[in-house]
Amino acid sequence: MTTHHPAPPPPTAPTGPTTRPGPGTGRAPSHHGELLQGHFADAGGRPRAALVTLPVAEPGTLAVYTPRPGTPPDAITVTPAGRTKAVRAARLALAACAARTGRPAHGGALRLTGAVPLGLGLGSSTSDVLATVRAVADAHGVRLGPAATARLAVRAEGASDPLMLDGRPVLFAQREGEVLDVLGPALPPLLVVGCLLGGGAPVDTLALPVPAPTGADLRACARLLDGLRRAVADQDAALLGKVATASARRAQRVLRQRDFEAVAAVARRTGAVGVQIAHSGCAAGVLYDPAAPDAAARAAAGRRALAAHAVPYTRTFTAGGPNPLV
């Protein structure tokens, strides 16, 4: 009698380092400029350029990276064309993934979609870069943590915003990609009336002078940082507004943004807690405490006052609070 043995099962697809990379996706948020920016003494007493951003979940960027096996790793195409920082980020991420997996890096096609306005200081380039790094890593089955992603972002951009973090308020050394201080779990909730200074004209921060920080500068920034730390600990929107306004006013010594004083006056007249700006762009926000019983009416008055000063209005949104990037 002949015994029939079942056919062996087909081999399963290889996993791990031998898996052929497929398309990957990555998402990244944006921000609405800074709450604080300047020079701060680090733990060793060395002055460091650093900032605290106002993160927002939307608008954001979606990146899709499709590897093309057999092509050289520098053969990256990008849509829309001209996103050179994202292309640099893709190449850097490819090298990082190859080092992690032991597989050779290949070129590919990168597609970016999103609605982060360009050139206003809202983190559009960092959003592109972060989404790209995440998409390339996803295509290769690699997880790159926040610290590694920050280092890649700085190498791609020269300076980066802390969008790769979880939305907690941090003092971030933008040129090194390093967190200098975690200020607390979350910013106090804010209602923000966004606008554009100088009619929306871009700010070429690379062309602006960067004076060396003095002892007085470091002491002033330390006081503002201490105030922001207390605002986070106490969930005090009013104190946060004072810090953001003082930081924005200090920046005007270099930026000299048209309409800043008009926007500051609007904030005072409409019961806002303060103003914040994009230190590397023209975006600004009039900040209101959403816990105030007439917060919506104050924000509406702020929008009308901006229009009376011919300051372009962008949008009204909430920020801060727990899970700001969800």
Side-chain angles (χ1 to χ4, degrees):
M1 182 175 183
T2 303
T3 302
H4 295 280
H5 297 284
T12 57
T15 59
T18 60
T19 302
R20 182 185 178 114
T25 60
R27 289 176 171 81
S30 60
H31 65 80
H32 199 265
E34 285 72 43
L35 296 170
L36 175 61
Q37 184 162 336
H39 285 85
F40 304 83
D42 64 13
R46 181 165 64 99
R48 305 279 293 276
L51 49 77
V52 180
T53 59
L54 179 60
V56 293
E58 295 294 340
T61 302
L62 169 66
V64 178
Y65 180 76
T66 304
R68 290 174 175 162
T71 60
D74 61 346
I76 307 292
T77 62
V78 62
T79 305
R83 303 292 180 88
T84 56
K85 293 178 181 178
V87 170
R88 285 200 295 272
R91 290 171 177 159
L92 292 166
L94 281 170
C97 290
R100 294 280 185 95
T101 64
R103 297 194 302 263
H106 305 287
L110 173 65
R111 178 176 292 273
L112 300 169
T113 57
V116 185
L118 304 180
L120 303 184
L122 302 182
S124 61
S125 60
T126 297
S127 190
D128 282 356
V129 163
L130 176 57
T132 295
V133 170
R134 288 174 170 171
V136 171
D138 183 54
H140 292 80
V142 172
R143 183 186 180 279
L144 297 173
T149 303
R151 290 191 294 270
L152 293 178
V154 168
R155 290 176 63 191
E157 293 192 79
S160 174
D161 300 302
L163 300 182
M164 68 293 299
L165 305 175
D166 57 8
R168 288 178 299 167
V170 298
L171 182 67
F172 188 73
Q174 67 268 29
R175 295 171 190 164
E176 293 89 17
E178 181 183 348
V179 175
L180 301 182
D181 193 5
V182 178
L183 305 184
L187 293 168
L190 297 167
L191 179 62
V192 185
V193 174
C195 61
L196 299 177
L197 302 175
V203 177
D204 185 3
T205 52
L206 295 178
L208 296 173
V210 183
T214 65
D217 291 328
L218 293 173
R219 289 190 292 274
C221 287
R223 287 192 295 270
L224 291 176
L225 179 61
D226 182 64
L228 187 53
R229 191 180 289 110
R230 286 187 285 112
V232 170
D234 298 339
Q235 291 293 282
D236 187 337
L239 179 54
L240 181 148
K242 290 179 181 177
V243 170
T245 303
S247 178
R249 193 173 295 284
R250 285 179 58 83
Q252 298 315 305
R253 297 180 301 175
V254 174
L255 296 176
R256 303 186 185 279
Q257 289 159 312
R258 179 163 60 88
D259 301 327
F260 174 78
E261 292 299 338
V263 172
V266 166
R268 290 192 298 271
R269 291 200 306 271
T270 60
V273 296
V275 298
Q276 57 86 214
I277 63 168
H279 286 66
S280 59
C282 59
V286 184
L287 307 177
Y288 297 88
D289 183 352
D294 56 350
R298 293 184 186 190
R303 291 192 293 270
R304 292 191 297 270
L306 290 173
H309 285 281
V311 175
Y313 163 76
T314 54
R315 64 185 180 119
T316 300
F317 60 96
T318 57
N323 304 317
L325 300 185
V326 175

